[in-house]
Amino acid sequence: MLIKCVILKVTSICNLSCKYCYVYNKTDKSYLNEPDIIDFVTVKQLLQKIEQYCKKNKLNSFLIIFHGGEPLIAGKSFYEEFIKLAEKIVISAKLYYSIQTNGTLLTETFCKLFKKHNIHVCISIDGNETASNNRIFKTTGHAAYNNIIAGYNIATKYVTPSVLSVINTSTDIDEYYTFFKDISVSYMDCLPPDSTYEKFDMNANQLGLWLIKLFDVWYFDKSKHKPRIRMFEDTINLFFGNENYAGGELFGRNFNGAIDIRTNGNIDIVDTLRICENNFLVGKYNIMNNELDDIIKEDIFYKFYNAHQDDVLCEKCRNCIVKDVCGGGLLTYRFSAKNSFNNPSVYCFDIFLLLMYIQNTLIEYTSPKLLQQVNLTKISMQDYIRTILY
Ligand code: SF4
């Protein structure tokens, strides 16, 4: 098992309190016992451990994602200092950086720094003002939309930010798509809200139909400046057998080689899994005493790493006709108190609908020559009924 990415919790706090947030507004409350901001003793130790790990495993690249809470709360000097230290300490591998921010604290100074150090900026934007109504300031409860868009506009002057959007299926699809086109988003990812069997988020009601309509609007948009949508690009690439293009926790058969480093230095599983149960984190490894990969001994890490492999997929997923593209979905979506992760995704029906629609559309609109190379055949709801319902 190889770790190729650290999600660095620069802060455990946030200036927003989005209603769907898995850190603050779901089951797990572990953030309450962690420092607000990671300190540099911990950062230095982390960088040394990354260097040792890359050297030992002959990795020539490694990804660090600055995350939170809201990572910009740490201030510009944190990132200046971090990069300076990293350049000194990590010499065996090239470090790639990305920052996941709510955008409200973005300034010209931050963006110049991110441009200078080639730090990819990803901003969470759910859509227009109405679609963003889950996003409010923590202290006042006021809507954060105007501040998010102001931050996004500043960022576009210096870098090409990508966008992460949490889906709310009550949003009108034409408005949603036009909004992202109007603000000239070049690359975006749409994520279903975090859900488990016990905690289904009603914002995802009829998700499959919503995604199909979005796919249609996007796929048949022949304009030059349409946004790239990762979920659709990944699934198309997977249908055409281009596995290298499709990564991430959501689709495909790749391994999930990411760990969290928390503000107290703990090395842990990725925190989207915190929605499953309180105290779901492993909590026993720390960067001051452990190696980066000590956590791979843990059963929960094994499940996360191999989430899309047959020995972790449930029986229905193993027999499913779209298994190689779906990969069983995000591990979190499979959790139930009764069966743990031994379930299909809570979005199984929605995913199947979407993948069936994409596959059948590709067959209809792809040249016969290309189709011959990939061996795609039409699928139907009968396949779902036969292989999944029974
Ligand atoms: S569509 Fe459903 S059964 Fe098929 S792989 Fe995905 S989650 Fe599993």
Side-chain angles (χ1 to χ4, degrees), residues 177-188:
Y177 187 67
T178 310
F179 169 81
F180 286 113
K181 269 185 87 170
D182 286 349
I183 64 167
S184 305
V185 167
S186 56
Y187 189 65
M188 61 184 288

Side-chain angles (χ1 to χ4, degrees), residues 314 316-317 320 322-323 326-329 344-345 348-349 351-352 384 388:
C314 70
K316 284 184 176 169
C317 290
C320 175
V322 293
K323 171 181 81 171
C326 172
S345 167
C348 173
F349 179 67
I351 297 171
F352 189 91
Y384 182 82
I388 302 172

Side-chain angles (χ1 to χ4, degrees), residues 31-128:
Y31 72 93
L32 292 170
N33 305 318
E34 295 173 358
D36 289 353
I37 301 178
I38 196 166
D39 65 41
F40 267 91
V41 177
T42 314
V43 165
K44 197 171 169 196
Q45 181 79 355
L46 167 67
L47 290 167
Q48 282 163 352
K49 293 286 164 102
I50 291 176
E51 165 61 14
Q52 287 160 14
Y53 186 79
C54 291
K55 204 170 175 182
K56 188 173 108 195
N57 293 287
K58 299 190 172 43
L59 291 181
N60 48 26
S61 66
F62 197 89
L63 174 65
I64 296 177
I65 302 176
F66 299 115
H67 212 276
E70 171 47 48
L72 296 185
I73 289 176
K76 179 180 161 245
S77 58
F78 173 87
Y79 296 94
E80 286 170 329
E81 185 72 6
F82 189 99
I83 302 282
K84 221 191 281 174
L85 264 181
E87 281 171 354
K88 262 196 225 150
I89 297 173
V90 184
I91 48 173
S92 297
K94 179 169 172 45
L95 289 181
Y96 290 89
Y97 300 105
S98 173
I99 186 163
Q100 182 65 47
T101 171
N102 65 36
T104 57
L105 301 173
L106 275 170
T107 58
E108 309 242 344
T109 326
F110 264 130
C111 295
K112 283 180 192 164
L113 182 81
F114 296 151
K115 181 181 166 124
K116 182 176 167 196
H117 295 293
N118 214 5
I119 300 176
H120 174 74
V121 179
C122 182
I123 305 175
S124 309
I125 307 177
D126 291 347
N128 65 15

Side-chain angles (χ1 to χ4, degrees), residues 18 107 185 213 231 236 329 346 371 383:
C18 303
T107 58
V185 167
K213 285 188 217 151
M231 177 187 276
I236 290 173
V346 72
L371 269 185
D383 294 306

